[in-house]
Amino acid sequence: MTEILKTEGLSRYFGAVVAAEDINVTITEGEIVGVIGSNGAGKTTFINMVTGYLPPSAGTIAFDGHPIKGLGPRKLMRKGLSRSFQIPQLFLELSVLDNLSMALSASEHRHLEMLRPVRTPERIAAADEILNQMGITQYRDEMVTAMPQGARKLLDIAIAMLANPRMLLLDEPTSGVSTDEKHALMDTVMEVVKRRGLTVLFVEHDMEIVRKYVTRVLAFASGVVIKDGPVEDVLADEQVQELVTGKRQQKPTEGKNDTQDETQKGGA
Amino acid sequence: MALQKSEIMLVVAAAVITLLSFAVPDWLAFTTTLAIASAMVVLGVVMLMRAGLVSFGQGLYYCIGGYAVGMGGRFLGITDALVLIGMGVAVTVALAMLLGLLLTRYREIFFAMLTLAFSMILYGILVKSQNLGSTDGFGVGNWTLLWFDPEGGKGSKTVLWLATAVGLAVALFLNRYFGSAIGLACEAIRENEVRVEYMGMSRRQILYINYVIAAAIGSIGGSLTSLAAGHVDPTMAYWTISGEFVFIALLGGTGHVAASFIAAMIFIMVRTYAVELFPNSWQLILGTVLLLIILFLPKGIWSLFTRKRRVAS
Amino acid sequence: MLTVWAILIDGLIYASWLFLVAAGLTVIYGVMRILNMAHGSLYALGAYAAASALGWYYNGVGDQLWIALAMIAACAVMIGALAGVIMERGVLRLMYGRDEVLMLIVTFAMLLILEDVMKLIWGTTPYFAYQPYAAMGRFNIGVLTVSGYQLMVVGVSVVVGLALWFWLERTKIGKILRSIIHDREVSEAMGVNVRRMFTITFMIGAALGAIAGGVTAPIISVVPGVGVEVIVVAFAVVVTGGLGSITGAAIGALIVGLARAVSIHTMPELELFIVYAVMASVLIFRPHGLFGQAVARKI
């Protein structure tokens, strides 16, 4: 398997604040990688840097062997690097079908066509297919404003997939979704991911979901990757338990006060 | 590509206007011509509104279109109306391609005020140009249309037919355009620019193309107006004229191309009477109606504008 | 050398006037995020009020210069604040929370209404109120002569600028306003009465516009439409400096004022463009003006 994403010394500072520092990650094609860490640990900063939303302060990023630092979202999408958002980024006052038609015309590089209707039969068929896979067919002709949060999350991810990416970064796909819906949502998403053979990196707070879908985990704390490895190893790691999954997994032991303070700093 | 329902409707409307033109008095034919011409400029404003932008300077291109007709006849001796209109479009496209580079970086009030500033620069140039008649402007010479020579060029019926034909072509084009990929992309930009970029589209490229086309259509409107009125003056570029186009666009809404034509007709008819009856209260009426539209017709006319604030996490 | 001095003095005089005109516009935008297109109409209102008051006063009542000047100030402030409170309470209040560009169209509607209201009140014949200008004579600075009244405008502009600075930086209301500028929602949650602050801000901004008009009345002939041209120039100044910043308005006024003076003395045919040329070249390098700040956006 080939390396698809590789970052070296990737860092981002906001003034004196360290949002991410010296992140060295290599992801192989086909991997499904979970990213964990408390709020403010640098997860979203990492995704924003990789997808061209935030320029890194230092370091390099390579996608498929080519340096991509400095490229904007648009060029990265074209290279096959797509993402979803913690807060779904949708065209709220357009219909779901129009949202998808737009994504399809963009992925075909035909979004500048002036005379042909954007809703071609082929695009409608492709939109219906993904709606069906995502289980949100009932909203097809509704405006996005009429959709509940969970369905919006799925539409956001569906749009990310329509770009025909090779790698998909999902920023907290289950946040804002009720606990009992989380598993169903992730089942749906991962089913489609597998069918399309995508490399996935996703940010998640729920360790149960991480265990269920992921083979490898990156644990972030205070802007640094503190642990990177197979899911069981990382979740069993003491430092990870203290800083990330902590209290839920294990009773606090002695001498941990210092590091807990650090978590709070990182989470600020 | 089969004809859509609204395309048939537009063709029928154009045919009806052409037939009625034989029956109506000259002043009504003239008013209708002006309405069609204004509607074209308004459609340019509507194109920008669909992308979430308000232009207070569409008069810039309206004026260029008008002056191109006047100057083409006066200095170059060109008489064919279609060539004159084409000249206006050429100049307009060249200028819009230049200004578009700067303007596509701006949104909301910045876009509105910068477009206003640019149209005021043209106004200022024209006011200072003695050989173009300064504030008085100048008369448009006689013109011909292909093999017609319409009664010394001022034939109100001929210009109505011309306006109807050109208006129909523009309306059919925009009807397609609004439902096309780029038309929807403009609405997508209004709704969420982040997502547009993350679909792999360039916001600036889309807005740029949209801006240039809107300008070109505005220029055609200006050319038709000057052919009909037989006169051009710098107020065509004055920003309150651009404000009137924004008013008509809001009155009609951005839902359908036909709305702009209907709204323009209403506007020009009402203005004709209001200016006679209440010469010093026309703007008062206009302002009040504008407030009423915004307050009581927000959906339909305004819903396309109330751009949802991008959610901050 | 003579030209250099002439440029500096003319530039300073014009810059002072520009600052007076632009100050109210930028204060209102800074606090309320409303670009008030009717600002020019407030300017015209101030000019009409001052001109008719002076007309009444000099028509047999008296000819004291200081009374005339006091009347300009009083009339302008009163009519500006009154119009401001009517516009804010009567119209803008119904629209808060809508899009910035919609608010622009709302103020455009108010501009249309005000223009005709002024025609209905004052008619279309010009008003002249040259007496204070004439009474203040001309001064020689070296070989150049400068009108005393225009020097006074420079003084008024400096005083207005300092007063605004003091108001925003040193008073309690100023502190509250700065908190609203910084984060409206948080200020509201902390118990700030944002609506009341908006009324106050709009009244002050409107009064500033009217003062600019009142002060200008003796220099021009007051006719319908004087305000309409003002808004475009004021906007150019404010954008050059950075929308919403008082310092920006002052610097923008200085740059535009000096640039225009250079143009008048060296290339008079370019006078009109220079304002926009300055604005465009600033915007190409700093899209939000010299002192403007880009709005951070998160996803």
Side-chain angles (χ1 to χ4, degrees):
Chain A
M1 283 295 199
T2 50
E3 277 176 9
I4 189 158
L5 182 76
K6 187 182 178 79
T7 70
E8 277 174 351
L10 198 61
S11 309
R12 172 73 203 198
Y13 310 102
F14 293 101
V17 180
V18 178
E21 188 160 50
D22 196 26
I23 298 174
N24 301 292
V25 169
T26 305
I27 289 167
T28 317
E29 190 140 29
E31 268 191 303
I32 298 196
V33 181
V35 176
I36 59 172
S38 51
N39 286 326
K43 305 176 306 278
T44 298
T45 304
F46 173 65
I47 289 194
N48 282 347
M49 284 194 288
V50 170
T51 58
Y53 189 74
L54 204 60
S57 308
T60 62
I61 317 170
F63 182 72
D64 202 21
H66 303 287
I68 56 166
K69 194 170 104 168
L71 298 185
R74 211 181 335 130
K75 295 215 168 105
L76 294 175
M77 293 291 297
R78 299 257 147 124
K79 285 185 182 292
L81 185 63
S82 186
R83 73 172 286 184
S84 76
F85 297 84
Q86 189 180 343
I87 296 161
Q89 299 289 317
L90 301 165
F91 310 130
L92 294 179
E93 303 219 345
L94 301 184
S95 74
V96 171
L97 188 56
D98 278 345
N99 271 264
L100 295 169
S101 306
M102 195 71 255
L104 285 160
S105 78
S107 76
E108 295 160 20
H109 302 226
R110 292 192 160 179
H111 57 278
L112 297 180
E113 283 186 348
M114 286 179 196
L115 295 175
R116 205 156 66 108
V118 66
R119 293 180 177 196
T120 57
E122 305 82 57
R123 284 185 197 142
I124 293 175
D128 281 337
E129 189 193 343
I130 193 118
L131 284 172
N132 190 29
Q133 287 171 355
M134 289 289 187
I136 46 174
T137 306
Q138 71 266 38
Y139 301 108
R140 182 185 187 260
D141 299 308
E142 303 270 1
M143 267 204 237
V144 175
T145 43
M147 295 175 107
Q149 184 65 12
R152 289 190 197 189
K153 281 278 195 186
L154 286 165
L155 179 59
D156 190 61
I157 296 168
I159 287 173
M161 284 180 180
L162 288 182
N164 292 321
R166 293 175 57 197
M167 180 171 185
L168 188 57
L169 291 91
L170 305 175
D171 194 358
E172 306 205 14
T174 67
S175 76
V177 178
S178 69
T179 327
D180 33 322
E181 284 175 17
K182 276 187 183 177
H183 286 267
L185 186 146
M186 282 309 288
D187 280 343
T188 311
V189 171
M190 293 321 264
E191 174 79 33
V192 184
V193 162
K194 292 228 172 81
R195 190 176 307 175
R196 296 187 170 228
L198 303 178
T199 310
V200 173
L201 184 139
F202 77 90
V203 176
E204 184 52 63
H205 284 293
D206 187 327
M207 293 309 140
E208 232 179 283
I209 286 180
V210 172
R211 272 181 220 278
K212 190 168 164 189
Y213 299 104
V214 158
T215 49
R216 174 181 161 201
V217 171
L218 302 174
F220 276 74
S222 308
V224 179
V225 177
I226 54 167
K227 190 79 185 171
D228 173 2
V231 60
E232 288 310 325
D233 292 4
V234 174
L235 294 185
D237 184 85
E238 266 191 30
Q239 208 189 357
V240 171
Q241 289 181 351
E242 286 153 19
L243 294 175
V244 184
T245 59
K247 297 136 217 170
R248 239 181 301 164
Q249 306 282 320
Q250 201 181 32
K251 287 180 189 96
T253 45
E254 286 171 46
K256 305 295 195 239
N257 292 340
D258 294 354
T259 41
Q260 266 169 2
D261 282 347
E262 214 172 290
T263 317
Q264 277 159 7
K265 245 185 272 163
Chain B
M1 277 188 264
L3 280 178
Q4 300 164 7
K5 204 174 128 200
S6 48
E7 286 173 343
I8 297 168
M9 194 189 84
L10 289 168
V11 174
V12 169
V16 169
I17 291 173
T18 313
L19 283 178
L20 283 180
S21 72
F22 291 99
V24 300
D26 273 0
W27 69 266
L28 188 55
F30 178 68
T31 308
T32 312
T33 311
L34 285 189
I36 294 172
S38 303
M40 303 243 237
V41 194
V42 171
L43 280 169
V45 176
V46 166
M47 286 173 75
L48 296 168
M49 276 185 180
R50 287 171 71 99
L53 300 169
V54 176
S55 167
F56 265 100
Q58 212 60 9
L60 173 63
Y61 301 117
Y62 174 68
C63 183
I64 290 176
Y67 270 72
V69 166
M71 289 165 73
R74 190 166 150 139
F75 298 111
L76 302 175
I78 298 169
T79 56
D80 191 88
L82 292 176
V83 176
L84 292 169
I85 293 174
M87 272 174 46
V89 171
V91 175
T92 292
V93 167
L95 182 65
M97 284 175 76
L98 189 68
L99 296 185
L101 293 175
L102 181 73
L103 288 170
T104 49
R105 292 163 60 167
Y106 292 94
R107 305 287 184 271
E108 310 225 318
I109 52 170
F110 283 92
F111 182 86
M113 297 305 285
L114 286 173
T115 51
L116 187 159
F118 285 127
S119 76
M120 287 304 286
I121 293 179
L122 178 64
Y123 174 77
I125 296 172
L126 294 177
V127 164
K128 293 218 165 168
S129 302
Q130 296 302 334
N131 56 344
L132 292 178
S134 188
T135 50
D136 296 332
F138 60 94
V140 173
N142 292 347
W143 50 275
T144 56
L145 177 59
L146 302 175
W147 54 89
F148 293 114
D149 188 355
E151 308 127 58
K154 298 291 193 294
S156 56
K157 296 289 163 66
T158 319
V159 71
L160 174 59
W161 298 330
L162 175 65
T164 308
V166 176
L168 177 65
V170 167
L172 287 174
F173 166 70
L174 283 182
N175 188 49
R176 286 275 164 112
Y177 182 91
F178 288 155
S180 74
I182 192 169
L184 191 65
C186 287
E187 291 194 74
I189 288 171
R190 181 192 73 222
E191 291 291 318
N192 191 331
E193 297 195 19
V194 172
R195 177 48 97 185
V196 166
E197 288 282 315
Y198 275 104
M199 277 183 175
M201 301 185 280
S202 161
R203 291 172 285 176
R204 285 193 67 182
Q205 188 185 28
I206 294 163
L207 290 177
Y208 186 75
I209 293 171
N210 193 54
Y211 177 77
V212 173
I213 296 176
I217 292 175
S219 162
I220 298 175
S223 296
L224 289 172
T225 304
S226 67
L227 288 173
H231 187 84
V232 288
D233 68 61
T235 52
M236 290 177 91
Y238 202 63
W239 69 289
T240 48
I241 296 288
S242 300
E244 286 183 0
F245 293 131
V246 172
F247 178 93
I248 302 172
L250 288 173
L251 189 68
T254 55
H256 196 277
V257 278
S260 298
F261 288 95
I262 296 164
M265 192 69 200
I266 296 173
F267 180 87
I268 287 177
M269 294 292 269
V270 172
R271 184 178 63 186
T272 312
Y273 290 105
V275 168
E276 247 168 64
L277 293 175
F278 319 101
N280 281 339
S281 319
W282 162 239
Q283 297 189 83
L284 185 69
I285 299 166
L286 213 60
T288 315
V289 173
L290 188 52
L291 287 180
L292 292 177
I293 294 174
I294 293 168
L295 270 178
F296 298 110
L297 289 172
K299 206 75 186 167
I301 283 166
W302 239 155
S303 54
L304 291 155
F305 263 94
T306 39
R307 162 149 53 167
K308 288 284 165 290
R309 292 264 147 247
R310 219 149 277 112
V311 227
S313 60
Chain C
M1 255 341 264
L2 189 64
T3 324
V4 174
W5 280 108
I7 287 172
L8 281 178
I9 290 170
D10 281 356
L12 186 66
I13 288 172
Y14 190 61
S16 310
W17 179 81
L18 285 174
F19 177 75
L20 273 182
V21 170
L25 191 68
T26 209
V27 165
I28 291 175
Y29 183 80
V31 176
M32 305 172 74
R33 300 281 132 183
I34 293 173
L35 188 76
N36 182 17
M37 269 197 162
H39 193 70
S41 308
L42 293 162
Y43 167 94
L45 265 180
Y48 268 117
S52 34
L54 291 178
W56 168 79
Y57 178 70
Y58 280 106
N59 192 14
V61 180
D63 61 353
Q64 292 286 315
L65 179 63
W66 67 272
I67 293 181
L69 294 179
M71 278 175 64
I72 292 178
C75 288
V77 169
M78 277 193 307
I79 198 154
L82 181 69
V85 79
I86 293 171
M87 288 160 77
E88 200 273 341
R89 288 272 160 108
V91 180
L92 292 175
R93 182 150 286 198
L94 307 172
M95 313 276 184
Y96 286 147
R98 307 257 200 125
D99 218 57
E100 266 181 39
V101 76
L102 176 65
M103 296 307 274
L104 185 76
I105 295 176
V106 170
T107 60
F108 174 65
M110 296 201 294
L111 172 148
L112 293 173
I113 294 172
L114 279 176
E115 287 300 309
D116 272 0
V117 166
M118 283 187 280
K119 270 187 223 155
L120 293 175
I121 298 176
W122 282 285
T124 49
T125 42
Y127 280 67
F128 297 98
Y130 57 87
Q131 293 90 341
Y133 183 81
M136 291 181 78
R138 302 185 77 82
F139 292 86
N140 289 321
I141 302 180
V143 273
L144 298 162
T145 42
V146 179
S147 111
Y149 190 85
Q150 278 178 325
L151 285 181
M152 186 203 74
V153 173
V154 177
V156 171
S157 180
V158 171
V159 169
V160 165
L162 288 176
L164 271 179
W165 174 83
F166 185 83
W167 180 57
L168 279 171
E169 299 292 326
R170 289 284 183 274
T171 63
K172 191 163 165 252
I173 289 189
K175 254 185 205 153
I176 296 172
L177 289 179
R178 276 183 294 143
S179 82
I180 295 176
I181 294 170
H182 189 70
D183 193 326
R184 184 183 303 179
E185 272 137 39
V186 170
S187 323
E188 216 155 13
M190 309 262 283
V192 170
N193 186 342
V194 173
R195 298 202 143 209
R196 206 176 117 237
M197 288 300 141
F198 276 13
T199 311
I200 294 173
T201 306
F202 200 84
M203 281 172 71
I204 287 179
L208 284 169
I211 288 173
V215 166
T216 316
I219 310 176
I220 57 169
S221 68
V222 185
V223 287
V226 280
V228 175
E229 271 126 67
V230 165
I231 177 70
V232 187
V233 177
F235 174 76
V237 167
V238 165
V239 162
T240 304
L243 262 178
S245 155
I246 300 282
T247 323
I251 305 280
L254 274 176
I255 294 173
V256 172
L258 285 174
R260 180 174 174 271
V262 168
S263 150
I264 285 178
H265 286 276
T266 55
M267 301 162 284
E269 63 279 10
L270 292 184
E271 180 205 331
L272 187 90
F273 314 102
I274 205 82
V275 174
Y276 304 104
V278 168
M279 176 179 80
S281 40
V282 167
L283 288 180
I284 286 167
F285 297 104
R286 287 191 60 95
H288 295 272
L290 293 171
F291 288 80
Q293 279 169 346
V295 185
R297 195 167 60 192
K298 288 183 186 173
I299 53 171

